[in-house]
Amino acid sequence: MKARIHPPTPANLRRLAAVLRRGGLVAIPTETVYGLAAHALDERACRAIFRAKGRPAHDPLIVHVLNLAHAEQLAEFNPAARKLARRFWPGPLTLVLPKKTCVPAIVTSGGGTVALRAPAHPLARRLLKLAGIPLAAPSANLFGYISPTSAAHVADGLGRRIKHVLDGGACAVGVESTVLDVTHPEKPRILRPGAITAATLEKFLGVAVRPVRRRNSGQAMPAPGMLERHYSPRTLLRIRHPGGRLPPDVAGIFLRQPAGAAGPNVYWLSDHGTLEEIARNLYRVLRRADQSRHREIWIEALPADAGGITAAINDRLKRAAARR
Ligand code: TXA
Ligand code: MG
């Protein structure tokens, strides 16, 4: 059976909230990417997420909550974490904190910390309110593939593995949340860059916010979130400016519509060149280029000093282009 894509009517929202309360899976829109949601305190429901995605058990899930009060039932907050939640929630910031005992081990891959965020998408919030439970939700894609930013993307990847997708249109941010480890508040660490940048967090907290260095080459099991290859198209992807002579059997992805180039193998990420637009379109364009069955995809990276969400975009490109 194929998954049903539900328009967000009040009746459908009530029905899907009931599915979640009973331990079922529902793909839901968030402002970053679509998530595959399940009752976070129901171990069986969470196991079904891993099964549907083909996700390895050592990669923990993000738990979505309505607000800070709900989050405090699941994790031990410190003053810095509370301050961050008050300033950036609802929004694309995930906080990693020591978990409370009610959070099942499957959610945290057996670890002592849990990742939490309050999503800003109005439909995600309506569903959280109606269901009245925390929702574990990784991105709603097959493990390792490009994250979904529309209901159709979810159905493309998981259509035969899940029953319900809530249609919330295209995601406004387009790349996954910033994951910030605040278990040691004097030394916050970015585990995954996102729309809320290191510079913004540093200014707000008044302490240095560093990315965690990836040190897992050769290790049997990478630290959570540190998988080198991820977010990847099936076609070989190279970070390489597609201008000049783009071979006809190579799909080229430019940051902006290129002046000279045209043709079925020419793609671009933005009309106006803003970073927000590039982030919003990135996964949709990568998917289209991947489905176009070219021999390779060449994509232009952003200049490292472009600021804002640049670090997140370049991080995803690097991981999408990492060799198997
Ligand atoms: O924007 C987002 O964060 C989206 C939407 C659906 O909320 N979710 C998302 O989930 O991207 P996922 O599972 O695809 O990525 C979650 C990341 C993974 O890299 C995971 O390893 C990391 O968060 N993570 C989860 N729990 C963690 C923990 N306790 N410690 C460290 N990293 C954790
Ligand atoms: Mg993911």
Side-chain angles (χ1 to χ4, degrees):
M1 225 194 42
K2 276 287 263 180
R4 257 224 237 137
I5 298 184
H6 302 271
T9 61
N12 282 343
L13 284 163
R14 275 197 306 278
R15 248 175 248 136
L16 294 175
V19 168
L20 288 164
R21 268 200 307 273
R22 286 199 303 270
L25 299 182
V26 179
I28 64 167
T30 84
E31 73 278 26
T32 57
V33 301
Y34 275 69
L36 181 57
H39 191 329
L41 305 181
D42 179 337
E43 198 188 314
R44 271 222 340 238
C46 292
R47 192 168 308 128
I49 293 179
F50 285 89
R51 215 179 305 123
K53 276 184 61 93
R55 184 182 179 103
H58 62 72
D59 197 5
L61 306 177
I62 294 178
V63 178
H64 297 68
V65 291
L66 201 54
N67 54 37
L68 175 59
H70 290 183
E72 296 222 31
Q73 294 172 11
L74 307 174
E76 301 289 349
F77 272 68
N78 52 57
R82 242 174 239 125
K83 201 174 134 188
L84 285 163
R86 288 202 186 101
R87 167 69 183 79
F88 295 103
W89 285 0
L93 178 66
T94 295
L95 300 174
V96 172
L97 288 161
K99 82 176 193 81
K100 290 191 170 169
T101 48
C102 60
V103 179
I106 185 158
V107 170
T108 66
S109 300
T113 61
V114 63
L116 295 166
R117 97 174 178 98
H121 196 293
L123 292 177
R125 297 185 61 72
R126 294 253 297 279
L127 211 49
L128 279 164
K129 218 174 272 174
L130 286 168
I133 50 174
L135 296 175
S139 51
N141 51 302
L142 289 170
F143 181 72
Y145 195 62
I146 304 161
S147 293
T149 52
S150 73
H153 293 168
V154 177
D156 277 349
L158 299 178
R160 292 180 189 290
R161 294 166 169 246
I162 63 173
K163 288 193 189 134
H164 306 288
V165 184
L166 174 60
D167 193 353
C171 299
V173 176
V175 298
E176 302 82 351
S177 62
T178 305
V179 179
L180 184 72
D181 183 343
V182 269
T183 49
H184 302 287
E186 69 292 346
K187 247 173 121 184
R189 288 270 185 267
I190 289 187
L191 304 182
R192 180 178 70 185
I196 297 176
T197 66
T200 301
L201 293 168
E202 282 196 341
K203 200 163 148 215
F204 179 73
L205 289 172
V207 295
V209 177
R210 301 251 153 72
V212 163
R213 295 250 325 271
R214 263 182 227 134
R215 268 189 252 96
N216 51 290
S217 13
Q219 254 172 255
M221 198 190 288
M226 298 285 107
L227 298 166
E228 195 70 50
R229 184 182 160 80
H230 216 67
Y231 315 102
S232 305
R234 300 199 172 80
T235 315
L236 183 75
L237 178 74
R238 292 183 199 281
I239 300 175
R240 173 168 173 178
H241 197 292
R245 282 198 315 273
L246 183 65
D249 58 347
V250 172
I253 304 179
F254 296 79
L255 294 175
R256 300 186 67 155
Q257 180 170 15
N265 61 335
V266 174
Y267 297 82
W268 57 92
L269 296 173
S270 73
D271 293 325
H272 308 288
T274 70
L275 293 174
E276 288 69 27
E277 205 187 351
I278 290 168
R280 190 156 52 236
N281 293 329
L282 176 65
Y283 290 153
R284 181 173 50 78
V285 175
L286 267 178
R287 278 173 182 261
R288 273 194 15 231
D290 196 21
Q291 283 160 7
S292 72
R293 300 187 166 278
H294 286 90
R295 176 172 56 84
E296 290 181 14
I297 303 170
W298 294 356
I299 189 165
E300 187 182 352
L302 283 163
D305 59 359
I309 200 169
T310 296
I313 295 169
N314 283 349
D315 166 78
R316 302 309 189 273
L317 288 185
K318 215 172 106 195
R319 294 206 226 180
R323 293 290 99 86
R324 255 162 278 237

